[in-house]
Amino acid sequence: MSQATLAIVQGADAGREFEVTGTTLVGRDSGADVVLADTEVSTKHAAFDLVDGGVAVQDLGSTNGTLVNGQRVTGSHLLQPGDRVQLGATVVEVRVPAQAAAGQAGGPPGAQATQGRRIPALPVLEFVAGQYAGTEMPVGHQVVVGRDAGVADVVLDQDSEISRRHASFSPAGAGLVVQDLGSSNGTIVNGHRLEYAVTLGTGDQVQLGQTMVTV
């Protein structure tokens, strides 16, 4: 991959796209390669770079962190087409140029759109209320949700009703299992407080403090 396209799908700059052909600095500073009008973005927030035939993102010590598919990342993180990266209130989606997608898939030009698009195979949590409302997160392994960045994979530090380690989501076949981790305010599934691990079905709603997710 000699370049990748990042599309801003959420935030003040939604609708913009930019190409990554080398190291691309994103931030609020006017000297950044991509300047975002987002007060939750740091002056030098993150950098995107081409590595090993793909594109990677690295947080640059930002105040609010960089999240990939809802999970906070440290160090350089290799991205896949379709991944969503959150910087402050801004969300960008990784897209591969049509010619690159065709080359990767080895298919004819007429099949570029379908072969270049990754088909989701993982269960997905959609945040419908709270800190990350409007974002989605594929769950490929156990994910701990909580307020403490040191122990949680998904950090809800703006929700005072969330415990340090509030709940966990784990893939189970094509579905998800949710388990409360001894939180103070409990984990609510479809209006009922959890007492043990529960397998979720499509459309189920899970409430964690002021945060609501659906499967």
Side-chain angles (χ1 to χ4, degrees), residues 20 30 33 50 59 69 93-94 108 140 147 165 179 207:
V20 178
S30 60
D33 299 304
L50 296 178
D59 185 79
N69 299 327
E93 183 176 283
V94 181
R147 203 171 70 245
R165 294 177 75 252
Q179 182 172 6
Q207 183 172 353

Side-chain angles (χ1 to χ4, degrees), residues 8-172:
I8 302 176
V9 296
Q10 184 177 322
D13 296 283
R16 288 176 56 193
E17 293 187 354
F18 58 94
E19 303 290 336
V20 178
T21 57
T23 301
T24 302
L25 176 64
V26 180
R28 209 171 67 245
D29 190 280
S30 60
D33 299 304
V34 178
V35 181
L36 297 177
D38 184 343
T39 57
E40 296 182 24
V41 166
S42 297
T43 53
K44 295 180 179 179
H45 195 106
F48 293 87
D49 205 355
L50 296 178
V51 292
D52 300 327
V55 61
V57 63
Q58 181 171 3
D59 185 79
L60 300 177
S62 66
T63 302
N64 293 317
T66 299
L67 292 88
V68 176
N69 299 327
Q71 300 182 48
R72 192 163 184 157
V73 298
T74 56
S76 181
H77 184 93
L78 186 63
L79 301 169
Q80 301 295 328
D83 280 350
R84 290 195 168 196
V85 182
Q86 182 168 353
L87 316 166
T90 301
V91 178
V92 300
E93 183 176 283
V94 181
R95 296 176 181 172
V96 179
Q99 63 268 30
Q104 288 178 346
Q112 290 171 359
T114 54
Q115 293 192 0
R117 182 82 177 173
R118 185 177 60 173
I119 300 173
L122 300 175
V124 174
L125 288 178
E126 180 182 356
F127 289 80
V128 295
Q131 185 172 340
Y132 296 130
T135 64
E136 296 180 348
M137 180 185 70
V139 181
H141 53 81
Q142 185 185 59
V143 172
V144 174
V145 180
R147 203 171 70 245
D148 189 338
V151 295
D153 302 300
V154 178
V155 181
L156 298 173
D157 54 2
Q158 296 177 22
D159 189 338
S160 61
E161 297 180 16
I162 292 285
S163 297
R164 291 179 61 252
R165 294 177 75 252
H166 196 105
S168 67
F169 294 88
S170 304

